[in-house]
Amino acid sequence: MRNAYYREIDVHAIEPNPQQPRTVFDEEALAELVRAGSLLKLPDGRLALPSRIPSITGRLDANRDGYGFVIDPEGKKDVFVPAHFLSGAIEGDTVLCHVTGEDARGRREGVVSRVLAHSGNALPGLLIRSEEGPFFR
């Protein structure tokens, strides 16, 4: 477009259009963007672009209660990651962790957005032997 003019406007200045649905993205579409790594779901429920959130690459030190800490290779404070934000990472994995802020105790808190390398040390779970055959739980 030649000589196009763009300006920012306040979102409240836009009048609703009854012909257009109120939701631009449904929950399934947002979940897919989070799974693909295009968006991050933050601990407070907000969504963010990964490029806007500081990140570190480090090794995960997992706790048996489910949460973990990403060890900062630069020696800064480790990053606490709640269990539901580990993205499938297990003990010893090298992960990309986005630092989202500090928790109530003053610890750096974050979310694991990607497992870069699995440790290969162990498979978490319990091997159960039954008449049908062995299975993991």
Side-chain angles (χ1 to χ4, degrees):
M1 281 181 147
R2 295 191 137 193
N3 301 324
Y5 176 72
Y6 298 96
R7 66 182 174 93
E8 288 186 23
I9 62 172
D10 182 23
V11 71
H12 300 294
I14 302 171
E15 293 184 26
N17 179 350
Q19 303 300 319
Q20 184 177 6
R22 289 183 60 100
T23 4
V24 176
F25 293 106
D26 60 19
E27 293 299 316
E28 188 176 313
L30 289 174
E32 180 56 34
L33 290 169
V34 170
R35 273 192 297 279
S38 299
L39 286 176
L40 285 176
K41 187 164 190 170
L42 304 178
D44 62 5
R46 293 178 300 143
L47 297 170
L49 294 170
S51 60
R52 302 274 178 135
I53 306 293
S55 64
I56 66 166
T57 298
R59 186 183 59 79
L60 180 68
D61 184 13
N63 183 286
R64 69 184 194 164
D65 291 334
Y67 61 86
F69 292 90
V70 176
I71 309 302
D72 191 323
E74 295 178 4
K76 296 179 185 173
K77 283 185 181 178
D78 298 339
V79 180
F80 171 74
V81 181
H84 53 282
F85 288 110
L86 287 175
S87 300
I90 61 172
E91 172 69 32
D93 286 353
T94 301
V95 298
L96 177 63
C97 176
H98 289 274
V99 182
T100 58
E102 290 187 350
D103 67 6
R105 298 161 106 186
R107 300 178 296 188
R108 290 197 307 167
E109 187 173 49
V111 297
V112 171
S113 59
R114 193 169 358 157
V115 176
L116 302 174
H118 288 291
S119 64
N121 291 339
L123 179 63
L126 181 63
L127 178 62
I128 308 282
R129 294 178 194 211
S130 69
E131 293 178 7
E132 293 83 29
F135 65 92
F136 277 101
R137 177 170 59 170

